[in-house]
Amino acid sequence: MRTQVGIIGGGPSGLLLSQLLHVRGIDNVVLEKHSREHVLGRIRAGVLERGFARLMREAQVGDRMDREGQVHEGFQIACNGTLDRIDLKGLTRGDTVLVYGQTELTRDLYEGRDALGGTVIHRAEEVEPRDIETQAPYITFRRGCEAIRLDCDYIVGCDGFHGVSRQTLPKHRVREFERVYSFGWLGVLTQTPPVSSELIYARHERGFALCSLRSAALSRYYIQVPLTDSVDDWTDERFFEELRRRLPDQVSATMVTGPSIEKSVAPLRSYVVEPMRHGRLFLAGDAAHIVPPTGAKGLNTAASDVHYLHEALVHHYIHGDDGCLDHYSERALARVWKAQRFSWWMTALLHRFPERGDYDQRLQETELSYLRSSDVARASLAENYVGLPF
Ligand code: APR
Ligand code: PHB
């Protein structure tokens, strides 16, 4: 087989890149380890920056998102029994975010790939990028009993944090940056009306909590839990009891609960690999970096990588100019680090850090009170939350 761009991973990054390249006439093949059902079964984030929404439209897959996604003009921060609104729209001169689940977005991307006749090969096993330092890289993989070779001009690793692409980079040519947190988020999805029309991020001495949503009838809730906890430790009753304790009374009192339809624990981690390119292998999305979910930046940072990379490939194939490809890693990382900073800051602002002492506790309280009292501080939060430009 031969294609121009071989893409490893059929999550949001790989599919969006594939669709954008196809629309510009650049041939590509996506190799995905799992079945489509498996990929669509994952419940992940749900807050899209405007830049992401713009890319979905450019990729001709934005119609359902525009119909069903909810525009959010602000969110709430709960602390010491009170709610404080961050007016995203007012603080950013009109910018907002779109609440639209990653599962829905991935479904739209798959349908877009089908509609254009794109090639997505599922259940591709033992995928391996090869000869990435040469002008003629290729990918080998297995499908059932068949061993297949895919020759390409470039390989893009969009295979998430546990994928194979990053492992291919020579260890002495890369630098890794990492912060591991001592807690995780326990998330629950329920078929109940959300407790609030806007997201509520709660700081509480028992730990962080988040009230989010997917639609008028589907709620997504999270609580901070120790990493040693597993889903089996948390019945639905225990989860909602704990969630209620961490929210202001006026919120807990109106919360409608129901059986969970999904429940999972996600550890919190910050990670970046530099550079995001070696030879003819490029990395994008979770394959190159991850953030704790507090600032809703994971998916959105994947989108900015895809934007820079698709633009660079278009410059190469359509204008014969490699300048953007040569600067891809640098451009992408500049924005990646800003998302890292913001995610770290918002995580530090709202979580309980059991290992920290009184001094850090006071700093956290002061940060929150500063935020409450300063329009400049709130504007900085809002600017980052709606997404820095790319
Ligand atoms: N071969 C082929 N495919 C692979 C391999 C492999 N060796 N390893 C992983 N994959 C696939 C996974 O099955 C998955 O479908 O790559 C895909 C990676 O998708 P994601 O992990 O979702 O990563 P990405 O597409 O970069 O999405 C951005 O932002 O909100 C965050 O973590 C959230 O998934 C989200 C991410
Ligand atoms: C979610 O709805 O899953 C969600 C929303 C906001 C976040 C993280 C997760 O910051």
Side-chain angles (χ1 to χ4, degrees):
M1 283 174 92
R2 172 152 187 97
T3 189
Q4 291 175 301
V5 183
I7 301 174
I8 304 177
S13 303
L15 294 171
L16 182 59
L17 178 67
S18 167
Q19 184 75 358
L20 285 165
L21 292 177
H22 194 137
V23 165
R24 300 302 295 270
I26 300 168
D27 193 54
N28 66 84
V29 170
V30 177
L31 303 176
E32 165 57 49
K33 184 179 185 175
H34 294 288
S35 67
R36 185 190 286 214
E37 296 68 42
H38 178 100
V39 176
L40 290 173
R42 296 194 287 236
I43 309 288
R44 296 255 179 97
V47 177
L48 307 187
E49 296 171 2
R50 259 198 203 171
F52 198 132
R54 197 177 60 233
L55 280 183
M56 289 288 283
R57 289 179 204 117
E58 199 179 320
Q60 303 177 358
V61 288
D63 288 355
R64 194 162 71 96
M65 174 194 76
D66 282 329
R67 272 196 318 276
E68 297 177 15
Q70 296 177 29
V71 174
H72 280 224
E73 297 184 355
F75 66 84
Q76 310 277 342
I77 294 183
C79 184
N80 298 332
T82 60
L83 285 174
D84 183 31
R85 183 164 189 268
I86 302 295
D87 175 9
L88 295 174
K89 194 172 181 186
L91 289 160
T92 59
R93 296 203 199 92
D95 219 343
T96 54
V97 291
L98 198 62
V99 169
Y100 190 64
Q102 182 170 324
T103 314
E104 302 310 315
L105 176 145
T106 310
R107 190 185 305 281
D108 296 345
L109 284 163
Y110 270 123
E111 284 172 12
R113 294 290 48 227
D114 293 344
L116 294 187
T119 309
V120 181
I121 299 177
H122 284 278
R123 296 199 176 88
E125 294 168 59
E126 294 167 22
V127 174
E128 266 188 63
R130 294 181 187 269
D131 283 3
I132 56 171
E133 289 172 354
T134 72
Q135 304 286 320
Y138 61 100
I139 306 173
T140 53
F141 64 101
R142 211 166 45 73
R143 225 184 154 242
C145 315
E146 198 186 355
I148 307 175
R149 169 177 168 142
L150 174 65
D151 287 286
C152 34
D153 302 334
Y154 295 102
I155 301 174
V156 185
C158 294
D159 45 351
F161 187 63
H162 301 287
V164 65
S165 303
R166 196 177 65 251
Q167 313 304 331
T168 316
L169 305 176
K171 284 268 172 282
H172 65 284
R173 297 299 290 272
V174 300
R175 194 159 166 209
E176 296 176 284
F177 301 83
E178 186 168 40
R179 170 167 293 175
V180 179
Y181 294 83
S182 63
F183 46 79
W185 280 17
L186 171 64
V188 157
L189 188 70
T190 57
Q191 241 144 12
T192 51
V195 69
S196 159
S197 58
E198 292 190 338
L199 271 69
I200 303 175
Y201 290 85
R203 177 203 174 263
H204 191 274
E205 62 194 23
R206 296 180 65 84
F208 169 79
L210 170 62
C211 304
S212 181
L213 64 153
R214 291 289 177 274
S215 69
L218 206 53
S219 301
R220 182 73 168 154
Y221 296 112
Y222 298 94
I223 55 171
Q224 173 185 351
V225 294
L227 270 184
T228 43
D229 281 17
S230 81
V231 168
D232 299 334
D233 298 320
W234 291 87
T235 60
D236 291 354
E237 292 68 32
R238 183 176 171 215
F239 175 87
F240 282 111
E241 195 185 308
E242 184 60 35
L243 176 64
R244 282 201 167 99
R245 290 175 83 165
R246 298 183 188 188
L247 296 170
D249 291 344
Q250 79 258 34
V251 178
S252 313
T254 58
M255 180 180 286
V256 180
T257 62
S260 60
I261 51 177
E262 196 267 354
K263 196 187 280 171
S264 50
V265 179
L268 265 62
R269 186 197 293 262
S270 302
Y271 174 90
V272 182
V273 69
E274 288 187 359
M276 287 169 61
R277 170 195 188 167
H278 181 72
R280 289 194 168 226
L281 173 68
F282 292 82
L283 299 180
D286 276 19
H289 44 74
I290 49 175
V291 284
T294 328
K297 288 287 160 256
L299 189 56
N300 290 302
T301 312
S304 59
D305 293 350
V306 168
H307 163 78
Y308 294 129
L309 190 51
H310 130 260
E311 195 177 76
L313 288 164
V314 166
H315 271 260
H316 168 80
Y317 283 110
I318 298 177
H319 309 296
D321 168 13
D322 281 356
C324 287
L325 276 179
D326 292 341
H327 288 107
Y328 164 70
S329 176
E330 203 181 307
R331 283 178 87 194
L333 282 167
R335 195 171 186 277
V336 162
W337 274 108
K338 290 188 184 109
Q340 291 282 332
R341 184 205 71 82
F342 177 65
S343 305
W344 157 80
W345 176 81
M346 215 162 143
T347 303
L349 181 76
L350 297 169
H351 288 75
R352 196 175 90 80
F353 290 80
E355 65 278 15
R356 291 199 186 157
D358 293 348
Y359 182 87
D360 289 311
Q361 172 85 8
R362 276 282 184 275
L363 279 187
Q364 191 188 48
E365 288 160 8
T366 307
E367 189 79 42
L368 274 158
S369 94
Y370 174 52
L371 197 61
R372 234 174 275 125
S373 65
S374 161
D375 279 347
V376 176
R378 297 157 80 82
S380 166
L381 164 54
E383 179 188 39
N384 282 276
Y385 193 86
V386 298
L388 298 172
F390 57 81

